[in-house]
Amino acid sequence: MADAPRIGVYVCHCGANISATVDVAAVAADAESLPNVVAARHYTYMCSDAGLALVQADIRELGLNRVVVAACSPHLHEPTFRRALASAGLNPHLLQMANIREQDAWIHTDRESATRKACDLVRAAVHRVALHTPLDIRKAAVRPDVLVIGGGIAGMHAALTVANAGKHVYLVEREFSIGGQMARYDKTFPTLDCSLCIQAPKMTAVRTHENITLWTGSEVEEVYGHVGDYRARIRRRARYVDENLCVGCLQCVDACCYDGDLIPDAFNMGLSGRKPIYLPFAHAVPTVVAVDPGSCLNFTRGGCDRPCTDVCGRDALDFDQTPWVEEIEVGSIVVATGFEPFDARKATEYGYGIYPNVYTSMEVERLINASGPTAGEVILRDGTRPQAIGVIYCVGSRDERYNPWCSRVCCMTALKLSHLLCERTGAEVYNFYIDMRAAGKGQEEFYQRVLNDGVQFVRGKVAEVCDWALDPSEEGKLVIRVEDTMTGYVRRVPVDMVVLTVGMSPRSDSDELRRTLNVGCSGDGFYRERHAKLAPVGTLTDGIFIAGCCQGPKDISDSVSQAGSAAAEAIALSVKGSYDLDPITARVVAESCSGCRVCMPLCPFGAIGYAEPGGKCEINAALCTGCGACVAGCPSGAIRQGMFDDAQVFAELSGLLLGAGSGSSGSASGRVPPAVSLQPSAEATGSALR
Amino acid sequence: MTGSSAPANGTKPKQYSYYPGCAIKGTGIAYEESLLEVYRLLGVAWQELTDWSCCGAQAYMTVDAGQSCMLSARNLRIAYQSGSHDIVAPCSACYLALRKCKDYVERYPRMREVVGDFMPASDLQAIANVRVRHALDMLYVDIGPSAFRARATRPWPGGKVACYYGCQAVRPYSEVDRDGNPMRMDELLEAVGVPVAQWPLKTKCCGSSHTGTLHEVGVRMGYLLLKEAVRRGAEAVITICPLCQFNLDVYQKDMTRSTGESFDIPILFLPQALGWALGADHRALGLHRGISGAETLRRWFAGPREGASDG
Amino acid sequence: MTAVSSAAKRQPVPEGWTPRIVAFFCHWCAYSAADLAGVDRRTHCSDLRVIRVMCSGRVDPQFVLDAFAKGADGVLIGACHPGDCHYVDGNSKALRRFVLLRRTIEALGIEPERLRLEGISASEAERVRAVAEAMSERLRALGPLSRRAFVSSAETASDPNGEGAHG
């Protein structure tokens, strides 16, 4: 730091996002009078090319060697401004941002106090940046392999995209088959493509791709490391069948001595039963059976005659199999763990779980599927065929009691099911909707088509489904009570079958995986993207990307688009081969270190060593993540940290609190210039600057 | 009024603040008699709120929510000052008014201002520590079905009953029980051997708010409830709210007049049935007080065997 | 709710006074949540000034004392929830320091409520708003921090720009 600081301050209007609440001109004027500030300007969009050019011109023409940008969160545009500094020949770390948008203009309404706050934040940044030093960016190698978590449509598409780019993919799926929720659907909206027909080729491609290692029945247990160098432990459940030997002939299933198909088949939403040895579903990939140790007599009763083993010509059964762990090293991770259908039992007013003929939309998908439990015949739980069917929308969506969000796909799902039920049963189908949301390509057109099918539409949120009859026509029926908001009447509609179009919820264990991966969730529990618009598949953790419904409800087309995007991000990292690490690591100033070793247990990553000859501690920069726990803990103040050094934080504090509460009078007027005045009071500048 | 029968072992039992409300002291007196009798038999310590006032429920809430809330806040403050911080309200309307007051004061700055005009800020904060309990919530959570099962000594002499929860106990706060198909009353009664009919109208409006103004509408709503209860095999309806009980009890003749269908079935309070199982005297439980189904009640509870002890 | 009975001498509250709260927010959770509060436009009081640190475990007790010495009326440390720390357990380090620090400031004559530690996950934008409001309300009740009692001792203890001058 040979040169005296020459600081430029740039206050962004962000269109009117900031300037509507903060008097940007006053903030710039206030900054102008701060020590070491050579130029202070305000501009409509600092992040635009013109805004960046402004900064770069000042760096060259005014000889600036420090820059403060008062704009949005550093989460958003710090990289942008750092790049601008670098291309103007300044070390990118000689920048400090003051967050006057997210943490000021957007959360306040009073212009005067918001402006005051912006002045404070800018002053803090100016004080801080004076102590910034040029830092060298460390490059870390990126391992070329990619881990994809989840083998639904998004995970499969991401895996295939990465694999097709010539990079190796580990695809980890919890169930014993890939396919996800889409494998359950009968047809897809709005084209009425057979769901399995369009998905099966993808499943096969995943299975046979030379660049994909597919592990089903497996879960990510632990992930550590950082972008470019993630190490993951994958726990693989025992399926008690050798995946390489089984050919899926199912003779073992026929031979199994377990009496009857009594175990609820999860794939068919419990609408049918299976044996303890089973194929997950007819078109499962890999087409390999699995043994359920929870019901197999060999496990529950300590042995049976094992007719399954006898009948298997390939000796594929292996009852001695135990779970095992695979450890892999990858450069990036794509998370595509999907959603859970809303648990309709929670919405007690609709009688799911009380009245047998109330179904969820997921169950109906299986019920009308040719490979489903009834071979596509719509036969109800009580053995009857419905003459009248009520389809209820927004079950577990747009409901402040459970999930306030719109699940986006349910309107179309309901329309699709109405169309199919109408076609296959000839029943009278009633739809009960709040608003019809058919916004995607071809979707409004599909709505029109279903209207022409003769399906009935009642606009109103259903109050309840009950089984009490007001008059003889309702005897033995399920009665849907609803306010028809088009006519203003409360209606009672008797039906034989009720379909609850359930929304999408985050997976119940999404929080566990979130912790394992160190990514964030939004308030709704879905994984949070780095930026809603500009980084929709990134997370706050570099090198971890999200795709599909784990990020929020979406349909198949959007899931696939997002998966492709996440795959592209992973490929970009992998192809580039290296990654810039933020130089925020800590280092020990040997002369000040007393060798007390207090810092060593504070480091969560074991990055601190002790060198015996000199009796000093040393930090391994390759392992240091820059959390700063050791810096705060060192009793000798011997540990320095890039970008978060003690002196920098103290300077930020000084700038922030300049004039505040000095002396015991706690004078309110003396601490900050009023928003309109361009001239800070003399005592405010005078006291603390030198 | 207070009631306590401290156990001999010297440990001081939890004491509840008992907030009766107006209906309990009038038409719903049997509710109070039976609840306090159950408390006596179980050794529950309680203390009636000193100088309690109207809870501010019903119409008052819609006319001036602030004033109504102020009334409830006053009662909550008395409970806080008494040191018994669980306030038990047997009446669902009282329960809801008190519960709403706590919620509104917590949620809405405007409501804090209005209520704050009547009491110092420290008192306003203090009421956040008072727990508003409905009698059903208290009986189910603090005592519980298994304790009732263990203490039940007398078989149920009558037929099937339908549990009617009404609207205010479970909506909008699902703390007393869940708002769809609530089951706590059913579980308590089944625990003491009372046969329970399942029906889907447990929380459908009883029409109480209409009987004063749109009488025919209110009566029809009550009629739909009783008709369905009878259809499901119930010979009595058990309630947890004096307003529901009154409405279903006193207008049965009007129902008969307007529909031609004859109704004369007893409408009881939950602690009346529980108290019976615990061995209480039928008069102590107020079982002689019902208007409708008087004949049934006599047959069930004051038969020759019981009648003898009654005299 | 007990009435405030602290060693601090109560100052008359000057007209137009608003509390100055310095918030040390960890990059991953609390700071992200504060950003999200902005994105969601969860309007709240403007008393909070956020200083970003990578981890709440980075918050040196000296930062907190220095903030009080320089004029903060309250200090808030925003950390991840237990088990959520990006750096394994930095938040529990912050918690340990926080407990000791509260005692220390009380000994210095500062009401302990002026220092708060809050777990705020990246999704809890509403919590940022609620915590800011609650803390502001509390500080408004307490009034400006009287610095007479401790400023001299704290100033000698903290030498912000010097290296290795701690302790």
Side-chain angles (χ1 to χ4, degrees):
Chain A
M1 277 217 315
D3 300 338
R6 291 177 64 77
I7 303 172
V9 177
Y10 301 89
V11 185
C12 183
H13 301 195
C14 195
N17 276 301
I18 294 172
S19 58
T21 318
V22 170
D23 183 345
V24 286
V27 175
D30 183 47
E32 206 152 31
S33 65
L34 295 174
N36 303 317
V37 172
V38 176
R41 304 183 197 280
H42 56 92
Y43 185 69
T44 334
Y45 289 104
M46 282 313 306
C47 62
S48 66
D49 277 356
L52 298 174
L54 197 68
V55 180
Q56 290 170 326
D58 282 357
I59 291 173
R60 280 190 288 267
E61 287 157 26
L62 302 175
L64 298 184
N65 57 14
R66 301 284 191 286
V67 172
V68 167
V69 178
C72 50
S73 169
H75 273 309
L76 188 59
H77 273 312
E78 194 174 59
T80 312
F81 292 109
R82 281 186 173 173
R83 273 197 301 275
L85 261 66
S87 65
L90 209 55
N91 183 285
H93 294 92
L94 297 171
L95 166 81
Q96 177 66 16
M97 290 193 72
N99 185 342
I100 62 166
R101 191 178 75 163
E102 282 85 346
Q103 298 187 10
D104 188 2
W106 276 357
I107 48 171
H108 305 313
T109 46
D110 176 55
R111 194 170 167 81
E112 191 183 324
S113 61
T115 304
R116 223 174 14 235
K117 181 169 175 179
C119 289
D120 286 356
L121 293 172
V122 168
R123 199 175 333 105
V126 166
H127 277 69
R128 187 190 211 277
V129 82
L131 300 180
H132 280 204
T133 51
L135 296 171
D136 292 328
I137 288 171
R138 214 154 37 96
K139 282 203 186 295
V142 171
R143 295 180 184 279
D145 296 357
V146 176
L147 165 64
V148 176
I149 308 173
I153 184 62
M156 290 195 297
H157 187 77
L160 283 169
T161 309
V162 175
N164 286 339
K167 301 294 176 188
H168 191 86
V169 178
Y170 296 94
L171 178 58
V172 174
E173 164 59 46
R174 169 185 290 169
E175 304 297 332
F176 281 119
S177 169
I178 51 173
Q181 304 282 9
M182 186 179 164
R184 291 196 167 97
Y185 302 154
D186 182 48
K187 296 201 167 168
T188 59
F189 62 76
T191 48
L192 297 180
D193 283 316
C194 156
S195 182
L196 195 71
C197 311
I198 57 177
Q199 201 192 21
K202 265 195 141 64
M203 292 164 73
T204 311
V206 166
R207 169 76 170 152
T208 54
H209 205 295
E210 55 178 3
N211 285 338
I212 296 179
T213 301
L214 172 62
W215 288 333
T216 54
S218 306
E219 285 177 62
V220 176
E221 194 176 65
E222 204 178 336
V223 172
Y224 48 102
H226 50 80
V227 54
D229 185 20
Y230 284 111
R231 286 140 213 254
R233 288 166 58 83
I234 315 294
R235 172 163 290 270
R236 304 202 57 195
R237 288 206 312 279
R239 75 193 293 159
Y240 305 105
V241 174
D242 189 324
E243 220 174 288
N244 299 313
L245 294 176
C246 175
V247 291
C249 69
L250 303 186
Q251 287 185 33
C252 53
V253 177
D254 294 337
C256 175
C257 58
Y258 190 90
D259 204 8
D261 296 338
L262 297 177
I263 303 145
D265 184 337
F267 183 78
N268 277 336
M269 308 305 292
L271 292 174
S272 65
R274 59 162 172 81
K275 288 192 166 179
I277 187 163
Y278 66 104
L279 189 65
F281 55 97
H283 305 86
V285 171
T287 316
V288 172
V289 296
V291 176
D292 166 17
S295 55
C296 172
L297 301 178
N298 193 45
F299 294 95
T300 56
R301 292 198 194 150
C304 72
D305 293 340
R306 293 196 193 170
C308 49
T309 309
D310 294 342
V311 82
C312 181
R314 297 176 58 85
D315 204 16
L317 281 119
D318 177 6
F319 284 99
D320 298 326
Q321 220 178 54
T322 49
W324 71 103
V325 169
E326 306 266 8
E327 298 204 17
I328 55 171
E329 296 173 339
V330 296
S332 58
I333 300 173
V334 175
V335 185
T337 46
F339 68 97
E340 243 166 49
F342 172 76
D343 178 6
R345 278 182 185 80
K346 287 185 191 162
T348 44
E349 67 272 26
Y350 296 146
Y352 182 76
I354 299 172
Y355 308 123
N357 289 349
V358 178
Y359 289 80
T360 68
S361 44
M362 288 302 278
E363 289 173 335
V364 176
E365 293 281 0
R366 296 312 300 154
L367 203 59
I368 57 175
N369 194 299
S371 66
T374 54
E377 296 274 316
V378 183
I379 302 169
L380 301 182
R381 286 192 179 97
D382 64 4
T384 61
R385 287 165 194 267
Q387 303 295 306
I389 302 171
V391 180
I392 301 178
Y393 288 47
C394 295
V395 178
S397 302
R398 303 181 71 196
D399 190 327
E400 63 173 15
R401 293 171 300 170
Y402 324 107
N403 300 340
W405 58 84
C406 166
S407 293
R408 288 184 60 190
V409 301
C410 337
C411 283
M412 292 308 295
T413 301
L415 290 173
K416 173 190 78 179
L417 293 178
S418 298
H419 171 83
L420 296 173
L421 285 167
C422 198
E423 185 181 83
R424 304 215 182 144
T425 64
E428 194 75 58
V429 178
Y430 300 90
N431 279 234
F432 302 91
Y433 68 102
I434 311 178
D435 295 295
M436 186 59 69
R437 296 186 171 179
K441 186 172 179 181
Q443 297 188 0
E444 179 67 21
E445 293 89 326
F446 186 76
Y447 174 36
Q448 294 303 325
R449 176 177 168 185
V450 177
L451 282 171
N452 292 332
D453 283 346
V455 169
Q456 308 279 340
F457 287 84
V458 178
R459 184 175 177 278
K461 184 154 172 78
V462 172
E464 69 171 342
V465 174
C466 57
D467 70 341
W468 63 281
L470 203 53
D471 62 60
S473 73
E474 296 176 356
E475 293 287 349
K477 301 262 187 186
L478 291 169
V479 178
I480 294 173
R481 290 180 61 228
V482 61
E483 181 189 3
D484 184 338
T485 58
M486 293 293 201
T487 60
Y489 286 106
V490 174
R491 293 178 64 177
R492 294 172 59 91
V493 181
V495 295
D496 306 304
M497 176 193 196
V498 171
V499 181
L500 306 180
T501 318
V502 289
M504 292 185 179
S505 299
R507 293 202 75 95
S508 50
D509 57 355
S510 65
D511 207 48
E512 264 168 58
L513 187 65
R514 175 184 71 77
R515 287 172 185 221
T516 306
L517 296 170
N518 238 322
V519 297
C521 283
S522 356
D524 50 20
F526 290 105
Y527 294 138
R528 181 175 163 196
E529 61 286 340
R530 191 183 194 106
H531 188 273
K533 311 282 186 301
L534 304 175
V537 298
T539 65
L540 285 177
T541 304
D542 289 325
I544 297 186
F545 307 104
I546 46 179
C549 291
C550 67
Q551 181 262 343
K554 54 180 66 66
D555 62 14
I556 294 166
S557 346
D558 287 355
S559 289
V560 170
S561 312
Q562 214 182 22
S565 168
E569 301 270 2
I571 294 166
L573 259 176
S574 185
V575 168
K576 191 182 173 205
S578 72
Y579 184 79
D580 296 344
L581 288 179
D582 215 5
I584 54 169
T585 47
R587 66 186 166 84
V588 176
V589 179
E591 307 84 73
S592 310
C593 175
S594 68
C596 70
R597 290 183 259 183
V598 161
C599 53
M600 291 174 64
L602 288 176
C603 181
F605 305 102
I608 310 181
Y610 179 68
E612 201 56 77
K616 308 278 184 190
C617 288
E618 286 172 357
I619 295 174
N620 178 349
L623 294 178
C624 176
T625 56
C627 72
C630 60
V631 192
C634 177
S636 312
I639 308 182
R640 309 286 302 268
Q641 185 185 7
M643 293 306 287
F644 291 92
D645 207 24
D646 279 352
Q648 292 165 346
V649 178
F650 281 124
E652 191 171 354
L653 264 172
S654 300
L656 197 59
L657 293 168
L658 193 60
S662 49
S664 55
S665 67
S667 149
S669 53
R671 61 160 61 143
V672 200
V676 283
S677 153
L678 304 184
Q679 200 59 47
S681 67
E683 75 237 27
T685 31
S687 61
L689 297 186
R690 17 205 108 65
Chain B
M1 278 210 300
T2 56
S4 80
S5 33
N9 62 17
T11 54
K12 198 164 174 275
K14 175 177 182 170
Q15 180 162 287
Y16 294 88
S17 280
Y18 170 60
Y19 175 78
C22 60
I24 289 279
K25 293 292 185 186
T27 58
I29 188 72
Y31 196 0
E32 175 171 275
E33 288 168 342
S34 57
L35 180 66
L36 298 183
E37 179 67 4
V38 166
Y39 281 180
R40 191 183 66 79
L41 292 170
L42 295 175
V44 174
W46 57 273
Q47 181 183 30
E48 186 169 319
L49 217 58
T50 322
D51 191 32
W52 57 267
S53 55
C54 169
C55 66
Q58 303 290 79
Y60 205 173
M61 196 64 147
T62 56
V63 175
D64 188 336
Q67 297 279 321
S68 154
C69 218
M70 188 270 291
L71 283 168
S72 270
R74 180 182 176 277
N75 290 315
L76 291 172
R77 175 171 64 172
I78 299 172
Y80 181 78
Q81 288 164 345
S82 78
S84 301
H85 293 178
D86 273 28
I87 183 169
V88 176
C91 168
S92 298
C94 298
Y95 158 78
L96 188 60
L98 294 169
R99 183 67 190 81
K100 257 188 188 164
C101 165
K102 247 189 87 165
D103 186 26
Y104 284 8
V105 165
E106 202 178 299
R107 264 205 287 180
Y108 306 119
R110 174 80 192 117
M111 204 52 100
R112 267 200 299 283
E113 272 173 39
V114 171
V115 180
D117 282 349
F118 296 93
M119 57 176 69
S122 57
D123 285 5
L124 202 57
Q125 279 172 349
I127 63 173
N129 298 316
V130 178
R131 220 171 134 206
V132 181
R133 312 288 304 272
H134 190 282
L136 170 61
D137 168 40
M138 183 270 160
L139 290 170
Y140 184 87
V141 176
D142 297 10
I143 299 170
S146 51
F148 274 107
R149 189 177 297 116
R151 301 288 292 269
T153 54
R154 189 154 52 177
W156 181 248
K160 261 193 187 180
V161 302
C163 295
Y164 178 65
Y165 294 74
C167 57
Q168 303 195 79
V170 294
R171 283 194 295 258
Y173 309 100
S174 300
E175 290 170 2
V176 175
D177 205 336
R178 58 182 186 197
D179 60 359
N181 197 29
M183 283 300 288
R184 286 183 169 178
M185 207 191 321
D186 299 61
E187 285 177 43
L188 284 173
L189 289 172
E190 277 172 346
V192 298
V194 180
V196 173
Q198 283 305 316
W199 63 323
L201 301 181
K202 290 175 178 178
T203 62
K204 190 183 182 299
C205 176
C206 69
S208 170
S209 297
H210 288 310
T211 44
T213 46
L214 294 162
H215 189 74
E216 287 311 311
V217 173
V219 167
R220 179 170 162 79
M221 294 175 89
Y223 154 77
L224 290 176
L225 287 180
L226 295 189
K227 181 189 169 198
E228 191 63 21
V230 169
R231 219 173 69 99
R232 307 269 173 162
E235 292 174 49
V237 173
I238 314 274
T239 66
I240 51 167
C241 172
L243 308 179
C244 303
Q245 191 274 342
F246 180 83
N247 191 51
L248 295 179
D249 194 12
V250 304
Y251 298 119
Q252 290 190 20
K253 283 210 165 63
D254 292 13
M255 293 174 194
T256 304
R257 242 196 315 278
S258 61
T259 64
E261 296 171 44
S262 164
F263 285 103
D264 191 26
I265 72 168
I267 313 294
L268 299 175
F269 292 106
L270 172 67
Q272 289 184 293
L274 294 175
W276 177 266
L278 297 179
D281 177 77
H282 96 280
R283 276 186 174 275
L285 294 170
L287 281 166
H288 57 297
R289 293 190 187 275
I291 293 173
S292 298
E295 188 48 48
T296 311
L297 288 174
R298 242 192 312 282
R299 197 173 72 241
W300 287 0
F301 301 111
R305 195 167 48 83
E306 286 302 321
S309 67
D310 194 30
Chain C
M1 284 289 145
T2 53
V4 186
S5 58
S6 160
K9 316 285 171 296
R10 190 63 52 81
Q11 296 294 311
V13 178
E15 204 177 323
W17 175 84
T18 51
R20 186 70 60 99
I21 306 169
V22 171
F24 294 100
F25 275 6
C26 82
H27 176 85
W28 301 100
C29 287
Y31 195 88
S32 290
D35 277 356
L36 192 61
V39 173
D40 293 352
R41 307 296 197 280
R42 291 177 195 268
T43 307
H44 56 272
C45 68
S46 61
D47 304 337
L48 221 62
R49 306 279 188 275
V50 177
I51 290 182
R52 183 172 65 106
V53 286
M54 291 311 287
C55 175
S56 56
R58 175 66 184 94
V59 179
D60 192 319
Q62 291 287 356
F63 294 174
V64 175
L65 295 177
D66 194 53
F68 281 125
K70 283 177 176 153
D73 301 298
V75 175
L76 169 65
I77 302 171
C80 306
H81 286 293
D84 277 5
C85 179
H86 194 80
Y87 304 104
V88 186
D89 60 353
N91 48 358
S92 68
K93 289 165 189 151
L95 176 62
R96 286 206 296 270
R97 289 185 188 128
F98 166 76
V99 173
L100 292 172
L101 206 44
R102 262 203 161 188
R103 276 190 233 156
T104 310
I105 61 166
E106 193 167 21
L108 287 170
I110 304 174
E111 296 89 342
E113 304 108 291
R114 291 188 187 270
L115 175 63
R116 277 176 80 153
L117 172 74
E118 294 288 342
I120 304 173
S121 83
S123 60
E124 290 177 323
E126 174 54 25
R127 194 166 161 75
V128 173
R129 191 201 63 75
V131 166
E133 291 286 357
M135 190 154 180
S136 170
E137 199 175 315
R138 190 76 202 101
L139 291 176
R140 278 165 206 269
L142 286 174
L145 172 59
S146 160
R147 275 173 200 81
R148 248 190 240 121
F150 75 97
V151 154
S152 54
S153 59
E155 265 174 359
T156 49
S158 94
D159 177 13
N161 294 333
E163 292 170 24
H166 301 258

